[in-house]
């Protein structure tokens, strides 16, 4: 079949070009360039990291007698040859109603079967990473990965929509020989494909319409040990508490409405991925978690280890949020006690809050569980950022992604969620101190504080809520407020004398 180019507009993004039909039935979203650029930056970092880890493993093996650790044993490079029966002909997939002609009409580059795993036991050669773009639409993302990421292996692009697969195949051809040799397109239900290709992809990319929840169970099984899962969720209304019960049914967590809801969305998604991973004795290590535009996107590595999995309850918490003053408190699900040289895993002590808020006397809503461990690996963030800066011209969304990565690199990594200075002042009905003045008081009180990429007005701090309110009480002493009704949260908070005398002078290390 020949393509009459006059029916199409050519869209260029990065080094890829796609043909967009005048009727444009295939999904393409220009603003997702930020998402694709960040993903390319993370992929580049992953490839470097994977190489370093491989070399470290090799030098360890040559220095010591051969001993295969749990993590090494399951690494992709020493993985056993997969069973022939694992390779499923997608044409028989009833779920997506595949028509036979679609995979026959375009022989160029499009294999009928995904590549088989060829690594044998004991083999030490590091194969280029295989990437699965599970929900590929026009193939733009897959094409950008193949054309722009040095050292990348085969990119398998799936879609269960026939028109999208036709477009993807057309676009592969249009992008020339590198694309033809590296990108293969299949009409398939991504869930079936991932389930039937366990631990086969070094990278799995999920970029769905709305929620990724139905893809997570199969995706966590399809990633090799130490591999990378990249996952977008665009159902922000659900994740941010518009319909808490819907969020619970999709993700297993209750969201809370509040200024930090977008960060909570990231943490709900991470908790959900972890829970799916745990079902298969696997666990996640987040490397980067981003909220941008109208979506959240997380990048997590996946490992297998029944013993490391015991730590999961230590990384999850419920969130108590006061309905009067927006104070929030984390309730960890689990804790450990060290006994001699061993560690015992126990349920978390609770509740961490009384029935009524210590600050204003109102009740609490409870949300979660959320991922309360770090959502980024700051070492990765630093190296991704410096890499992005060194190839500025290769990222069409450079300004945006470098700004986001810079803010992320400055975030306090161990402080979940954040305060809103606006909300604190709205509760007290007072004028707002500048962010610099407020930050100064927190630092002078002996605590840490940072911004957050999620909200330009958000402030992350390890200062407890009573310290935060004391700082605000001191501020109000110098900037008095009009009297408010006695039952108002602000009135109750201001009725208490501050224990701490806040110092608003700018410290040297701000
Ligand atoms: C948001 S679009 C993907 C956009 C693409 N990743 C990009 O960056 O341009 C989601 C795609 O997933 C496809 N899809 C939805 N459910 C699917 C399933 N179960 N299996 C495979 N593809 C699916 C849709 O047909 C659609 O083309
Ligand atoms: Zn309160």
């Amino acid at each position: 079949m020949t393509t009459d180019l006059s029916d199409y507009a050519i869209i260029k993004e990065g080094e890829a070009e796609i043909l967009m039909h005048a009727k444009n039935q295939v999904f393409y979203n220009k603003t997702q360039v930020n998402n694709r650029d960040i993903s390319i930056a993370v992929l580049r970092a992953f490839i470097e990291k994977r190489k370093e880890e491989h070399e470290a493993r090799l030098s360890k093996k040559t220095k010591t007698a051969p001993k295969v650790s749990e993590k090494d044993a399951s690494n992709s490079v020493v993985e056993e040859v997969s069973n022939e029966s694992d390779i499923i002909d997608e044409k028989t997939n009833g779920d997506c109603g595949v028509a036979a002609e679609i995979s026959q009409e375009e022989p160029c580059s499009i294999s009928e079967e995904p590549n088989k795993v060829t690594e044998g036991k004991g083999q030490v050669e590091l194969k280029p990473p295989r990437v699965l773009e599970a929900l590929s639409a026009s193939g733009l993302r897959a094409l950008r990965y193949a054309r722009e990421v040095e050292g990348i292996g085969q990119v398998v692009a799936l879609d269960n929509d026939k028109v999208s697969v036709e477009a993807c195949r057309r676009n592969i051809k249009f992008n020339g020989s590198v694309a033809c040799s590296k990108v293969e397109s299949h009409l398939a239900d991504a869930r079936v494909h991932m389930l039937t290709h366990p631990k086969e992809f070094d990278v799995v990319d999920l970029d769905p319409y709305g929620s990724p929840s139905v893809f997570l169970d199969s995706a966590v099984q399809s990633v090799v040990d130490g591999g990378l899962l990249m996952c977008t969720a665009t159902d922000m209304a659900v994740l941010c508490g518009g319909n808490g019960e819907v969020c619970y049914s999709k993700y297993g967590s209750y969201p809370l409405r509040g200024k930090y809801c977008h960060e909570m969305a990231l943490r709900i998604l991470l908790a959900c991925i972890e829970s799916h991973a745990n079902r298969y004795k696997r666990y996640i290590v987040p490397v980067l978690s981003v909220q941008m535009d109208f979506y959240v996107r997380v990048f997590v590595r996946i490992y297998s280890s029944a013993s490391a999995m015991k730590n999961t309850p230590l990384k999850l918490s419920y969130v108590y949020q006061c309905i009067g003053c927006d104070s929030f408190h984390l309730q960890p699900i689990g804790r450990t006690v060290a006994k001699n040289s061993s560690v015992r895993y126990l349920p978390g002590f609770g509740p961490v809050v009384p029935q009524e808020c210590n600050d204003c006397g109102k009740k609490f809503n409870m949300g979660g569980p959320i991922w309360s461990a770090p959502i980024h690996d700051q070492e990765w963030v630093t190296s991704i950022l410096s890499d992005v800066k060194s190839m500025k011209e290769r990222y069409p969304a450079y300004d945006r992604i470098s700004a986001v990565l810079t803010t992320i690199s400055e975030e306090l990594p161990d402080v979940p969620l954040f305060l809103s200075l606006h909300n604190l002042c709205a509760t007290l009905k007072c004028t707002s101190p500048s962010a610099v003045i407020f930050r100064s008081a927190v630092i002078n009180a002996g605590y840490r504080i940072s911004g957050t990429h999620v909200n330009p007005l958000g402030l992350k701090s390890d200062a407890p809520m009573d310290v935060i309110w004391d700082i605000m009480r001191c501020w109000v002493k110098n900037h008095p407020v009009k009297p408010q009704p006695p039952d108002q949260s602000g009135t109750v908070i201001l009725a208490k004398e501050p224990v701490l005398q806040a110092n608003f002078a700018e410290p040297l290390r701000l």
Side-chain angles (χ1 to χ4, degrees):
M1 192 187 79
T2 54
T3 303
D4 180 357
L5 287 182
S6 63
D7 292 340
Y8 296 88
I10 298 173
I11 293 171
K12 184 168 166 60
E13 186 183 292
E15 285 173 32
E17 287 181 318
I18 58 164
L19 296 169
M20 190 53 65
H21 197 273
K23 286 191 195 143
N24 188 16
Q25 296 150 313
V26 177
F27 179 90
Y28 165 67
N29 188 341
K30 197 176 165 185
T31 63
Q32 290 275 41
V33 60
N34 301 327
N35 180 323
R36 288 183 282 266
D37 266 14
I38 285 215
S39 305
I40 286 172
V42 175
L43 266 182
R44 288 190 169 123
F46 173 69
I47 288 175
E48 276 313 301
K49 197 85 183 156
R50 191 169 165 267
K51 249 190 247 159
E52 281 169 27
E53 289 169 354
H54 180 68
E55 278 156 21
R57 265 196 305 272
L58 286 186
S59 71
K60 208 167 101 190
K61 272 182 195 154
T62 52
K63 275 188 206 139
T64 58
K67 181 176 173 250
V68 185
S69 73
E70 187 166 15
K71 206 156 115 185
D72 289 348
S74 47
N75 189 281
S76 62
V77 292
V78 291
E79 202 150 49
E80 283 189 57
V81 176
S82 70
N83 196 316
E84 282 289 305
S85 63
D86 285 351
I87 309 296
I88 303 286
D89 184 350
E90 307 294 351
K91 284 185 291 186
T92 61
N93 179 350
D95 245 1
C96 54
V98 182
E101 67 270 20
I102 190 165
S103 46
Q104 288 163 0
E105 65 186 341
E106 307 253 3
C108 160
S109 85
I110 297 123
S111 69
E112 294 306 313
E113 285 184 345
N115 277 2
K116 295 171 190 177
V117 175
T118 52
E119 289 90 349
K121 232 179 188 167
Q123 204 169 320
V124 290
E125 184 200 349
L126 183 65
K127 297 263 159 112
R130 278 169 58 76
V131 178
L132 178 69
E133 221 249 288
L135 311 162
S136 62
S138 67
L140 171 58
R141 182 182 293 262
L143 289 164
R144 285 200 63 194
Y145 291 170
R147 293 194 59 170
E148 296 177 39
V149 180
E150 305 72 14
I152 202 164
Q154 202 69 14
V155 183
V156 177
L158 308 179
D159 208 288
N160 68 348
D161 171 52
K162 195 177 161 194
V163 177
S164 299
V165 173
E166 279 165 359
C168 184
R169 292 178 175 191
R170 203 165 33 239
N171 289 328
I172 292 171
K173 270 190 170 178
F174 190 65
N175 277 267
S177 58
V178 172
C180 281
S181 64
K182 287 211 162 163
V183 186
E184 50 183 273
S185 163
H186 300 278
L187 179 60
D189 186 314
R191 294 166 296 182
V192 176
H193 191 93
M194 292 188 287
L195 270 182
T196 49
H197 295 78
K199 292 193 181 177
E200 203 173 292
F201 292 98
D202 299 283
V203 180
V204 170
D205 189 327
L206 294 178
D207 183 48
Y209 298 130
S211 172
S213 62
V214 296
F215 300 106
L216 294 178
D217 203 65
S218 44
V220 297
Q221 297 179 67
S222 194
V223 179
V224 300
D225 284 322
L228 186 68
L229 173 63
M230 322 203 272
C231 176
T232 309
T234 64
D235 55 339
M236 295 307 285
V238 169
L239 279 163
C240 287
N243 298 293
E245 65 291 352
V246 179
C247 185
Y248 190 80
S249 68
K250 283 187 194 300
Y251 295 95
S253 292
Y254 229 100
L256 293 171
R257 292 161 80 93
K259 281 280 188 274
Y260 54 59
C261 68
H262 291 107
E263 183 178 326
M264 192 161 183
L266 280 169
R267 292 178 180 277
I268 287 174
L269 177 57
L270 289 169
C272 184
I273 300 175
E274 174 80 348
S275 104
H276 283 285
N278 282 177
R279 285 159 216 192
Y280 308 99
K281 296 195 170 60
R282 312 194 90 188
Y283 66 99
I284 64 165
V285 177
V287 295
L288 179 68
S289 308
V290 186
Q291 190 270 316
M292 271 175 114
D293 305 322
F294 52 90
Y295 56 87
V296 284
R297 176 121 167 123
V298 297
F299 302 85
V300 303
R301 296 188 77 182
I302 297 191
Y303 297 96
S304 298
S305 165
S307 60
M309 218 180 66
K310 291 186 196 163
N311 290 320
T312 295
L314 311 177
K315 302 175 199 166
L316 300 173
S317 299
Y318 287 100
V319 184
Y320 287 107
Q321 186 190 58
C322 174
I323 59 170
C325 69
D326 282 349
S327 295
F328 63 89
H329 305 267
L330 296 190
Q331 166 75 66
I333 288 188
R335 71 192 156 94
T336 50
V337 284
K339 206 174 170 196
N340 303 326
S341 58
S342 67
V343 173
R344 282 185 67 205
Y345 291 83
L346 296 168
F349 279 134
V352 291
V353 289
Q355 282 283 315
E356 274 123 31
C357 172
N358 274 338
D359 302 305
C360 77
K362 297 281 193 304
K363 294 203 177 303
F364 289 98
N365 279 327
M366 191 181 80
I370 62 163
W371 179 266
S372 46
I375 60 174
H376 323 288
D377 178 327
Q378 288 298 350
E379 203 190 298
W380 275 67
V381 176
T382 310
S383 91
I384 293 168
L385 180 59
S386 73
D387 212 51
V388 165
K389 284 183 175 165
S390 73
M391 328 183 176
K392 195 173 169 169
E393 65 297 335
R394 298 192 61 190
Y395 291 99
Y398 173 80
D399 289 345
R400 183 74 202 282
I401 68 162
S402 58
V404 169
L405 288 167
T406 302
T407 316
I408 288 176
S409 72
E410 291 161 0
E411 275 178 16
L412 285 177
D414 54 346
V415 176
L417 309 179
F418 55 84
L419 298 165
S420 153
L421 198 45
H422 275 200
N423 274 19
L424 296 176
C425 296
T427 301
L428 302 183
K429 310 270 187 298
C430 67
T431 59
S432 180
S434 70
V436 172
I437 287 179
F438 183 76
R439 279 169 177 251
S440 302
V442 171
I443 291 168
N444 290 331
Y447 297 95
R448 297 173 297 146
I449 188 159
S450 79
T452 156
H453 79 282
V454 165
N455 184 329
L457 300 174
L459 292 168
K460 283 182 172 289
S461 177
D462 58 352
M465 277 318 296
D466 52 343
V467 169
I468 297 293
W469 285 125
D470 269 0
I471 289 171
M472 292 307 296
R473 288 182 185 108
C474 294
W475 171 258
V476 170
K477 279 192 188 292
N478 296 329
H479 303 82
V481 296
K482 286 190 201 134
Q484 301 292 325
D487 62 332
Q488 296 278 302
S489 294
T491 312
V492 178
I493 291 168
L494 291 174
K496 288 184 202 154
E497 275 303 305
V499 177
L500 173 131
Q501 287 311 311
N503 172 3
F504 293 101
E506 209 171 308
L508 287 176
R509 61 183 180 91
L510 193 64

